[in-house]
Amino acid sequence: MFRNTAEGYGLVSRVLHWAIAAGVVGMMIFGTRIAAMEPSLSNYWLYGVHKSFGLTILGLVLIRLVWHRISPVPEPAGMAGTWQHGLARGVHILLYLFLLAIPVSGWVASSATGIDTVFFNIVVMPAIAPPSEVVAAWGFAVHGALWKGLLALIALHVAGALRHGFGPGSALRRMGRG
């Protein structure tokens, strides 16, 4: 029930998948909104919320990677050895890399501004870059570019899931029901 099997995803994998997916969609909407704002004291707290949820997604992705070492993912039904399997595997690897790199680049950029990254107003996270306008500008540029790349990867991921998603043993059925 909790662990993955050869036929389907266990509850832990499914909950982590959908929690990360919901978090990413929410952060894309929220991040786009705050990027369009002029920073001020009245909306400064929103940036803290964005950072906190970004760190939460980073943590969930790290947990998911560890979980997949403990409980390996099932092989795709009927795709082993095909170009589609190779593409799906490549997209998944890139998704994980982007889901790690996006919050880290945001954390680097935020650290370089000299403003603390505070996790939900409880824990002050260590700065992972020295204060520097150049590093901050570079970090935010990388953060934005990775976000756009993630959009393309999500489109490929969703297209693949829909393409292989409706029959018995399908990706959508296994990720939805196990």
Side-chain angles (χ1 to χ4, degrees), residues 107-127:
W107 191 358
V108 165
S110 185
S111 294
T113 67
I115 299 170
D116 286 337
T117 298
V118 184
F119 185 69
F120 289 111
N121 287 332
I122 300 170
V123 178
V124 177
M125 303 301 290

Side-chain angles (χ1 to χ4, degrees), residues 70-119:
I70 295 167
S71 181
V73 299
E75 283 296 318
M79 283 188 1
T82 67
W83 67 270
Q84 295 156 327
H85 181 252
L87 180 61
R89 181 150 170 74
V91 167
H92 278 101
I93 290 169
L94 287 173
L95 278 169
Y96 282 117
L97 290 174
F98 276 61
L99 289 171
L100 293 170
I102 290 170
V104 170
S105 65
W107 191 358
V108 165
S110 185
S111 294
T113 67
I115 299 170
D116 286 337
T117 298
V118 184
F119 185 69

Side-chain angles (χ1 to χ4, degrees), residues 34-52:
I34 65 171
M37 293 179 174
E38 184 66 36
S40 71
L41 290 177
S42 65
N43 63 16
Y44 178 73
W45 66 277
L46 293 171
Y47 296 91
V49 171
H50 181 77
K51 293 175 192 181
S52 294

Side-chain angles (χ1 to χ4, degrees), residues 104-165:
V104 170
S105 65
W107 191 358
V108 165
S110 185
S111 294
T113 67
I115 299 170
D116 286 337
T117 298
V118 184
F119 185 69
F120 289 111
N121 287 332
I122 300 170
V123 178
V124 177
M125 303 301 290
I128 59 173
S132 164
E133 287 183 26
V134 172
V135 173
W138 175 85
F140 287 124
V142 168
H143 192 67
L146 289 171
W147 176 82
K148 289 176 180 92
L150 182 62
L151 284 174
L153 289 170
I154 289 171
L156 280 171
H157 181 66
V158 170
L162 291 174
R163 165 73 175 85
H164 297 282

